[in-house]
Amino acid sequence: MTLDDLRVFVAVCRAGSLSAVARDLGCTQSAVSQHVKRLERETGVSLLERRPRGVVPTAAGRVLEAAAAEGIGGLDLALRRLRDLVDGETGSVRVATGGTTVRHFMADAIVGFRRRHPRVSLEFRTESSSRACFDALAGSDLDLAWITLGPPVRGIEQRPVVDLPWVLAVHADDPLAARPALDPAGLADLRLIRLPPDSTSAAHLDAACADLGVRLAHDTSVADWDTALLLAELGLGRAVVPALPGLRAASGGGLRLVPLPALRPLTVGWAARQWDALTPLARAFAETVAASRRADATPSGGR
């Protein structure tokens, strides 16, 4: 059993496909299969179950995948930390983010960090959801992921940074645009632009509304917060979105934001495999972003 065997096996479990992993690695499907077969010979158990549309790990496979992913992640972090100790201020920080994260949450912090560490490479990998960020963090040599905090994830530490209150985004001519605030019960009568249905933020919004006995109705589903805001600004719908940093100051023209103070806010922050094992550069970047967000937050926890 080799480290490559384990890396390939974890990749197959995550992709659910031998051929997909073969394409990613630039090898044949047979070569990928040999890695898995070698593990099965040495463990004496079947690790994958063939399905019509791919493969899934067996019960034994899930045990090995969890242990291998955690071990590989720790080893990759250690190797990165050793390289950064040798390289000093010429290392790198690798971050997984959602589609709107860098612009809304990190722009100022990136500028400040680069001024202090001009020789450090910042690398960003865009993922479609917090869940995808968790998967990317667990299955690669990424340092950090900016996520919407959710339930515990095995092998991942989540650290809250800032709470974002919810607002109703509407066109300036909308009858609700002049309201100083809106009770969530008023949302039940509206047709809304839906946040990505498989996202943590959408699940959080649905749960926050359910706590108040409110069920939302939707017309259009969009891929990210920015698209929902654009449609609202164009007068093509209404959207309940988090009050992203700088959004209220920038919301001129046709966009108005009506606070929804009764909804519990959305908490966002950092995720890492092991916070104490982060490289000094990765920790410095995470703390720079967190400090910039806390400095911008209002006493109520957002804006």
Side-chain angles (χ1 to χ4, degrees):
M1 171 184 315
T2 67
L3 183 58
D4 281 345
D5 291 338
L6 294 171
R7 286 187 186 278
V8 170
F9 175 67
V10 170
V12 169
C13 291
R14 295 190 184 281
S17 168
L18 295 170
S19 59
V21 174
R23 286 194 300 271
D24 289 343
L25 297 178
C27 64
T28 65
Q29 183 172 328
S30 176
V32 171
S33 181
Q34 287 304 312
H35 285 286
V36 177
K37 288 179 179 178
R38 186 156 45 238
L39 290 174
E40 290 180 328
R41 284 197 301 269
E42 295 197 27
T43 59
V45 295
S46 177
L47 298 174
L48 292 178
E49 178 183 345
R50 273 66 179 176
R51 297 278 180 86
R53 295 188 177 181
V55 295
V56 296
T58 62
R62 289 193 295 271
V63 172
L64 182 60
E65 178 199 3
E70 187 171 347
I72 290 169
L75 177 60
D76 286 340
L77 278 174
L79 292 174
R80 285 281 313 286
R81 192 163 189 177
L82 289 174
R83 287 196 296 270
D84 284 347
L85 287 174
V86 173
D87 295 340
E89 287 293 291
T90 61
S92 64
V93 179
R94 298 183 176 97
V95 182
T97 74
T100 61
T101 297
V102 173
R103 181 161 71 90
H104 288 297
F105 294 98
M106 299 185 186
D108 293 340
I110 290 171
V111 173
F113 182 82
R114 291 302 298 270
R115 286 173 178 167
R116 290 190 297 273
H117 306 281
R119 300 172 63 193
V120 175
S121 171
L122 287 174
E123 302 174 19
F124 296 96
R125 174 172 167 178
T126 302
E127 298 292 346
S128 60
S129 65
S130 292
R131 185 179 306 167
C133 283
F134 288 136
D135 289 343
L137 190 61
S140 69
D141 61 352
L142 292 168
D143 297 295
L144 296 157
W146 183 263
I147 49 99
T148 299
L149 268 71
V153 177
R154 188 179 186 276
I156 301 291
E157 295 183 26
Q158 302 180 54
R159 292 204 170 191
V161 172
V162 66
D163 290 336
L164 304 175
W166 294 96
V167 295
L168 178 67
V170 298
H171 189 268
D173 294 334
D174 191 285
L176 298 173
R179 298 281 292 272
L182 184 67
D183 188 281
L187 298 175
D189 299 325
L190 306 179
R191 303 291 293 182
L192 299 171
I193 300 166
R194 181 175 177 79
L195 297 177
D198 60 344
S199 67
T200 306
S201 56
H204 182 103
L205 175 60
D206 288 343
C209 288
D211 288 344
L212 301 174
V214 176
R215 183 179 179 85
L216 301 182
H218 301 98
D219 277 328
T220 306
S221 181
V222 296
D224 53 57
W225 298 332
D226 277 347
T227 304
L229 288 165
L230 176 60
L231 292 179
E233 186 172 8
L234 294 173
L236 300 178
R238 298 155 166 159
V240 177
V241 297
L244 303 172
L247 180 59
R248 185 166 295 281
S251 61
L255 184 65
R256 296 294 183 270
L257 304 173
V258 183
L260 298 164
L263 286 179
R264 54 185 168 89
L266 184 75
T267 303
V268 297
W270 285 116
R273 284 184 295 254
Q274 187 177 349
W275 195 264
D276 291 341
L278 284 174
T279 67
L281 290 173
R283 189 175 302 175
F285 179 71
E287 291 172 352
T288 300
V289 173
S292 70
R293 295 280 56 86
R294 291 178 179 128
D296 287 343
T298 66
S300 62
R303 75 182 185 184

